Amino acid sequence: MKLIMAAASPFARKVRVLLRETDQLKDVKEVHVATSPFKPDPTAHAANPTGRIPSLTRPDGPALYDSRVITRYLDARIDAGFYPKANLWDVLTVEATGDSMMDSAVSISYETRMRAEHMISTDWVEAQWAKIIGGCKALQNNWMTNLNGPLTMGQISVACALGYLDLRHDSHNWRQGHETLATWFASFKKRDSMVDTHFVG
Ligand SMILES: N[C@@H](CCC(=O)N[C@@H](CS)C(=O)NCC(=O)O)C(=O)O
């Protein structure tokens, strides 16, 4: 199988961390592409007609896309248990919180890095940042027991979201007021799977 991805993408990182945590990297070749909303990469577009990454080609059907579909597929493939039945709805909500923070963070990156300066909307950036802070607060107030529990895709998604905030939006200082979450992340990011997928650029 091939994972069409970019090293900076937090959505791709979710899949890459799962591959390492579940020892499935041997079955998947990571294919690096450079894609953007304005200039979709042809390989990314061939696998996903909406042009987004990550996508996963597989032997027995069309390519899968959207990180959540890919991680469910890889989890089910070896019965890894990263979407446990016992607290599935909690895990999915924690994962969705991380994904939603990524949506806003990537959207801020596109706004500030890809548009001409006179077109950048500070209102838009602030509105997206408010969503990210909403996510941090919800995680810290409601989900720390879950985050400190057995490893699931919920934690992986949150860690990849926070890692992306450090990569692209460090100056916003998400840690302020979210010290408990920050302490959790300081420990989680030391996992081999996180270190191996850490991107600086
Ligand atoms: N919901 C999707 C989001 C994927 C996504 O937005 N990926 C970004 C890169 S981080 C992308 O492909 N951007 C190119 C574009 O929007 O055309 C997922 O979970 O996979």
Side-chain angles (χ1 to χ4, degrees):
M1 293 184 284
K2 286 184 188 164
L3 179 69
I4 318 298
M5 51 146 289
S9 166
F11 300 101
R13 193 177 185 191
K14 285 172 61 189
V15 181
R16 300 178 71 211
V17 169
L18 179 68
L19 286 174
R20 284 156 178 80
E21 291 286 354
T22 58
D23 198 23
Q24 294 188 79
L25 192 55
K26 57 187 181 322
D27 303 329
V28 177
K29 182 175 163 33
E30 294 183 332
V31 178
H32 293 248
V33 298
T35 198
S36 87
F38 293 118
K39 202 166 174 244
D41 173 86
T43 307
H45 200 266
N48 173 356
T50 66
R52 292 204 167 95
I53 53 167
S55 57
L56 182 78
T57 66
R58 57 186 172 138
D60 52 350
L64 301 177
Y65 48 86
D66 197 285
S67 60
R68 275 189 254 188
V69 176
I70 299 171
T71 52
R72 285 296 279 261
Y73 172 80
L74 291 170
D75 179 73
R77 182 173 178 258
I78 59 158
D79 208 5
F82 280 38
Y83 289 99
K85 276 206 180 99
N87 61 344
L88 181 62
W89 302 112
D90 290 350
V91 168
L92 290 176
T93 301
V94 174
E95 180 182 29
T97 306
D99 285 9
S100 187
M101 291 164 67
M102 289 177 205
D103 281 333
S104 290
V106 169
S107 155
I108 294 175
S109 297
Y110 289 154
E111 181 74 13
T112 54
R113 292 163 69 100
M114 307 197 83
R115 307 191 88 195
E117 202 166 337
H118 70 277
M119 293 175 76
I120 296 172
S121 163
T122 50
D123 287 349
W124 174 264
V125 171
E126 276 168 28
Q128 294 302 323
W129 189 253
K131 294 177 195 294
I132 292 168
I133 293 303
C136 288
K137 285 207 185 323
L139 290 167
Q140 179 163 286
N141 293 342
N142 306 332
W143 295 112
M144 287 317 301
T145 305
N146 186 291
L147 290 179
N148 286 315
L151 184 61
T152 68
M153 268 318 295
Q155 294 151 19
I156 293 174
S157 173
V158 169
C160 292
L162 298 176
Y164 186 79
L165 296 182
D166 283 350
L167 173 68
R168 293 285 188 239
H169 307 303
D170 201 24
S171 60
H172 281 81
N173 193 14
W174 65 266
R175 286 175 176 79
Q176 194 177 345
H178 309 110
E179 287 77 12
T180 309
L181 184 63
T183 302
W184 171 83
F185 181 58
S187 165
F188 194 92
K189 74 178 188 179
K190 290 185 190 143
R191 297 181 78 89
D192 289 347
S193 60
M194 291 293 290
V195 173
D196 199 37
T197 56
H198 179 66
F199 175 72
V200 187

